[in-house]
Amino acid sequence: MQRYKSAEQDLVRSVMNNLLQSPMMEKVNGNIYDRQQDGIGYDENMNKITPFTYIIVGESSISRAYSSASHTEEISLTLHLYYRSGRYTTADMTRVLLTDLEHYATANPVMQYYEVERIRLINKQTIPDIDLETSHGILQLRYVVKHLTRR
């Protein structure tokens, strides 16, 4: 059985690049990260900043399928969106932003040695965050990625 380098890192980079170059970047004031940030959403006196929005391109998982003619991976990505407005419409606005995030996260990821065959929404939910003022949107997407072994 031939071994292949996983497409995971290239896919995450491509999704991040799509988000960083999308209108989503402006909607969240440039707050798009690949991990949790310390102290984000608070000013220098540790007062909460309102309104506030940020995105984390977070966890990933992989399952592989080998055959004699091809190699594909199912790569799941979990994206987190945090939104705080200080209004009663916080959860509603989180759902709107989560829909926008889904649109840009599923835009054609461009990778040199891989091709996305299809993308499927696994889960999309909005929950209150631990501070009960921030709404937390969770988006789980599954990308079926084919390795371009022959060109």
Side-chain angles (χ1 to χ4, degrees):
M1 173 172 42
Q2 189 171 5
R3 298 281 180 198
Y4 294 93
K5 177 183 174 246
S6 174
E8 176 189 24
Q9 190 169 15
D10 287 358
L11 177 66
V12 172
R13 283 182 182 158
S14 181
V15 170
M16 280 288 290
N17 285 336
N18 283 352
L19 292 175
L20 293 171
Q21 295 172 22
S22 76
M24 203 71 208
M25 186 69 165
E26 186 176 324
K27 289 181 180 189
V28 300
N29 295 318
N31 293 315
I32 299 176
Y33 306 100
D34 66 351
R35 63 179 177 81
Q36 185 73 31
Q37 302 295 299
D38 186 35
I40 193 162
Y42 295 88
D43 66 15
E44 61 278 351
N45 297 317
M46 291 310 291
N47 298 313
K48 289 180 184 175
I49 297 169
T50 304
F52 181 73
T53 309
Y54 75 102
I55 293 170
I56 298 172
V57 177
E59 303 82 19
S60 60
S61 63
I62 304 168
S63 61
R64 295 183 175 139
Y66 294 99
S67 76
S68 61
S70 70
H71 174 69
T72 60
E73 293 179 272
E74 288 187 4
I75 302 171
S76 297
L77 290 181
T78 303
L79 295 94
H80 301 270
L81 182 138
Y82 296 87
Y83 178 74
R84 180 171 54 234
S85 70
R87 300 180 179 198
Y88 294 110
T89 58
T90 297
D92 184 58
M93 188 59 186
T94 302
R95 285 187 282 276
V96 169
L97 290 168
L98 206 53
T99 298
D100 291 346
L101 178 59
E102 179 183 0
H103 173 75
Y104 296 115
T106 58
N108 187 26
V110 177
M111 298 173 285
Q112 185 174 3
Y113 302 107
Y114 313 100
E115 175 181 280
V116 175
E117 291 185 332
R118 65 186 170 279
I119 304 169
R120 188 167 70 108
L121 174 66
I122 301 301
N123 185 31
K124 184 177 179 180
Q125 69 183 123
T126 304
I127 58 175
D129 201 36
I130 194 165
D131 68 1
L132 301 178
E133 294 177 32
T134 306
S135 191
H136 180 177
I138 302 167
L139 182 65
Q140 292 176 309
L141 300 168
R142 181 164 298 141
Y143 300 79
V144 176
V145 179
K146 181 178 180 179
H147 289 237
L148 301 176
T149 55
R150 298 177 188 165
R151 285 198 181 226

